[in-house]
Amino acid sequence: MALGARFNELFERWAEEYDSAVSGGHPEYREVFEGYAEILKTVVNELALPPGSTILEFGPGTGNLSRLLVAAGYRVIGVEPSAAMRAQAAAKVPELELVEGHFLSVPDSVPTVDGIVSTWAFHHLTDEEKDRALADMTRLLRPGGKIVFADTVFVDEQAREAFQKEAEDRGFLELAEDLRREFYPVIGRLEESFRKAGFLVQFRRMNRYVWLMSATIA
């Protein structure tokens, strides 16, 4: 599947329901988004950059994290592939500077930045694409910059398979298909991706599914 189709297909359909889902409105995804508001706040706090810093957000979706970043005094540039999501984010966060693109297609108009953030989006990339994206981020980050991501990550392959089986056993067929279809990483391979790109990364578990990743140039 071409990258554009892969990035857009789900979120063009899900744009109207996304805020409800992250707030617990989708029973199958309640554990995936457990503590959603606190996770977003943690991403902002983990940046710990001076007000006025420029932050690049990949996949801002409907603008929930963007709103917190703007409130913290940051200039925020959102790179979002979905037109439906961009429309919602623009309405919710007028200060957000939105451009069309994705992890592997950043417009030339985007300047170097002090921080890069993303939540529940990096898993759309294969492992090899994650390698490429992180290597590109080294060129986007200014000296002293930081990456902070939050996304579903598994401890190892056995854990990933166990979560898939658990979803099937609970009758969570949409979640089970999601876990099979997407490219959810395991910590060891993800740590390798950051290391190959020249980053030091730390992981912190936020709920059963989601881990916080905080990285700086080594």
Side-chain angles (χ1 to χ4, degrees):
M1 180 185 292
L3 277 177
R6 187 201 308 165
F7 276 93
N8 280 331
E9 184 179 355
L10 173 63
F11 289 105
E12 288 292 324
R13 295 197 314 266
W14 206 18
E16 292 299 323
E17 303 172 7
Y18 186 78
D19 283 349
S20 173
V22 300
S23 300
H26 194 313
E28 295 191 20
Y29 285 84
R30 282 177 185 156
E31 289 187 343
V32 176
F33 293 113
E34 183 180 359
Y36 177 76
E38 192 59 36
I39 291 171
L40 297 189
K41 291 177 185 176
T42 302
V43 170
V44 176
N45 292 338
E46 191 73 15
L47 279 172
L49 293 168
S53 297
T54 300
I55 308 301
L56 177 61
E57 182 181 1
F58 281 106
T62 62
N64 296 324
L65 176 60
S66 313
R67 182 163 54 186
L68 296 181
L69 292 164
V70 168
Y74 296 129
R75 174 194 177 190
V76 186
I77 302 169
V79 177
E80 170 60 54
S82 164
M85 290 289 197
R86 289 197 304 274
Q88 291 212 27
K92 187 182 293 183
V93 192
E95 304 91 338
L96 175 61
E97 301 173 39
L98 280 162
V99 296
E100 182 178 1
H102 53 70
F103 285 104
L104 300 176
S105 180
V106 179
D108 292 338
S109 61
V110 173
T112 56
V113 297
D114 303 294
I116 299 175
V117 298
S118 184
T119 53
W120 285 275
F122 203 43
H123 63 267
H124 293 304
L125 301 178
T126 66
D127 287 340
E128 292 73 22
E129 288 166 349
K130 290 182 181 72
D131 294 342
R132 278 181 53 199
L134 288 168
D136 289 343
M137 289 177 209
T138 63
R139 294 187 285 274
L140 288 167
L141 273 177
R142 296 170 184 157
K146 182 181 290 187
I147 291 175
V148 183
F149 290 170
D151 202 355
T152 294
V153 179
F154 295 107
V155 172
D156 53 31
E157 293 290 346
Q158 291 74 23
R160 179 160 55 188
E161 292 171 4
F163 272 76
Q164 289 176 5
K165 184 177 187 304
E166 177 188 278
E168 293 166 358
D169 291 345
R170 296 172 73 181
F172 289 176
L173 301 185
E174 187 174 340
L175 175 59
E177 174 59 26
D178 182 3
L179 294 174
R180 285 192 295 268
R181 178 186 64 237
E182 298 283 359
F183 307 103
Y184 294 106
V186 298
I187 283 181
R189 180 61 177 84
L190 189 53
E191 188 170 24
E192 179 184 341
S193 292
F194 277 98
R195 180 186 55 78
K196 286 195 296 188
F199 290 100
L200 293 174
V201 62
Q202 294 183 325
F203 295 87
R204 188 194 331 165
R205 195 165 203 163
M206 303 301 292
N207 65 29
R208 287 192 72 213
Y209 284 85
V210 173
W211 290 71
L212 186 80
M213 295 151 263
S214 182
T216 55
I217 297 290

